[in-house]
Amino acid sequence: MPDVWIGFNSDDRRRYWWRNGIVAVALAPVMLAMSLTAQGPGGWWLVGVFGVFSVAVVLSTISSIYGRVLLTEAGLEFRFPVVK
């Protein structure tokens, strides 16, 4: 059995970017509202946690869009550009 690469084609990548871009644009006002209404030092930790979570989601999205899987006789080999 020859090795087979599995991944998104260019149309699927574009569609996936659009879907995630719409979600990011929808969540940006939420982040802005949270940062503007945070009162005192206790409220800022929530903004920081949300910001770190947003970065993790973006890195995961890039990894899943451009990542590929190599199907071999021995099993699967995952190749991700961001998250190893």
Side-chain angles (χ1 to χ4, degrees):
M1 178 177 127
D3 295 347
V4 177
W5 284 101
I6 302 168
F8 287 123
N9 62 25
S10 61
D11 290 336
D12 290 336
R13 284 187 183 128
R14 189 173 19 262
R15 199 172 15 251
Y16 203 49
W17 272 117
W18 272 104
R19 181 175 48 206
N20 286 301
I22 290 170
V23 170
V25 168
L27 290 178
V30 173
M31 183 73 173
L32 179 64
M34 285 174 48
S35 63
L36 292 176
T37 59
Q39 296 177 354
W44 283 101
W45 70 270
L46 186 60
V47 175
V49 167
F50 191 75
V52 170
F53 178 72
S54 298
V55 169
V57 168
V58 167
L59 292 178
S60 174
T61 299
I62 292 170
S63 185
S64 65
I65 289 173
Y66 294 105
R68 298 188 305 163
V69 177
L70 179 61
L71 178 61
T72 64
E73 288 185 18
L76 299 173
E77 294 180 19
F78 296 95
R79 307 281 171 88
F80 296 116
V82 176
V83 181
K84 300 273 181 189

